Amino acid sequence: MLTYQISGPLSEPEGNDPVDPFDIHYMGANSRHLAHELIVAAFKKSGLTKAEVAKRLGWKDRSRISKLLNVPANITVETLGELLFVIDGSEPNYSQNWPCRAQHGNGGHPEWLKVPGATTTTSTSPAKVFYSQEAKAKITRTSEAAL
C-alpha cells in the first residue's frame, strides 16, 4: 500500500514518441490559468473598475473585460501584455518551468524508513514521486490485482 501520492499524470516527453494528448492539453490549460491569475491579481491590486480598464484599452464595452476577468480565456500573448500594461504598467515575465523535474517535499523520510548511510536533502515543497509509463502501468496492475 502506498502512503504517499504518486505524481500527477504528466510524463516528460522523451525521444521521438508522441506526447500524450492529455499532457498537451493539461499544459495548455495550466498556461491559460496562469495568465488569468496574472490579469486578475493586477486588476484587483490596481483598484481600477472594469469600465476604466476598458476605457484605457479603447474598448467601448466593459463586458469584454468582465469575460477576461471571470474565466481563464484563450487569450493571445499580445492581449495579455496589453491588459497588464493598461492595468498597472507591467508586462508579463516569461520563463520556463519543468514540472516533471521538480523536486517536491522535504526530501526526507521518517527515521524508521531511512537506509543506514543514506543521505537526504531538504526543501520546502510537498513530496512528489515521478514514474515512467511502464512503472505507472505496473502500479496500476498491482493495485487492481490487490482488489
Side-chain angles (χ1 to χ4, degrees):
M1 175 171 102
L2 295 176
T3 58
Y4 53 89
Q5 179 180 355
I6 297 175
S7 73
L10 291 180
S11 296
E12 189 168 14
E14 296 177 332
N16 294 324
D17 297 332
V19 175
D20 185 339
F22 177 87
D23 292 354
I24 295 170
H25 295 295
Y26 174 85
M27 290 310 296
N30 190 51
S31 296
R32 194 168 44 251
H33 174 75
L34 292 172
H36 182 254
E37 280 185 345
L38 278 176
I39 295 166
V40 171
F43 177 74
K44 285 181 178 179
K45 195 174 184 180
S46 74
L48 296 171
T49 66
K50 294 174 188 175
E52 290 170 329
V53 173
K55 186 174 182 178
R56 287 182 175 191
L57 283 165
W59 296 355
K60 295 181 190 230
D61 187 8
R62 75 176 182 100
S63 68
R64 288 176 67 187
I65 299 296
S66 293
K67 288 177 187 174
L68 290 169
L69 292 172
N70 290 336
V71 180
N74 196 13
I75 64 171
T76 64
V77 292
E78 288 87 356
T79 302
L80 174 62
E82 291 167 358
L83 278 168
L84 289 176
F85 186 74
V86 301
I87 290 171
D88 65 4
S90 67
E91 68 178 349
N93 181 14
Y94 301 104
S95 65
Q96 289 179 279
N97 180 32
W98 289 265
C100 294
R101 298 181 194 172
Q103 291 296 320
H104 302 288
N106 62 11
H109 301 286
E111 284 298 319
W112 58 269
L113 196 57
K114 289 186 178 177
V115 176
T119 59
T120 58
T121 59
T122 58
S123 102
T124 58
S125 41
K128 232 178 187 182
V129 179
F130 293 95
Y131 292 95
S132 66
Q133 292 295 344
E134 296 84 12
K136 286 180 187 178
K138 185 175 182 180
I139 291 169
T140 303
R141 285 192 304 271
T142 305
S143 298
E144 289 171 353
L147 297 174

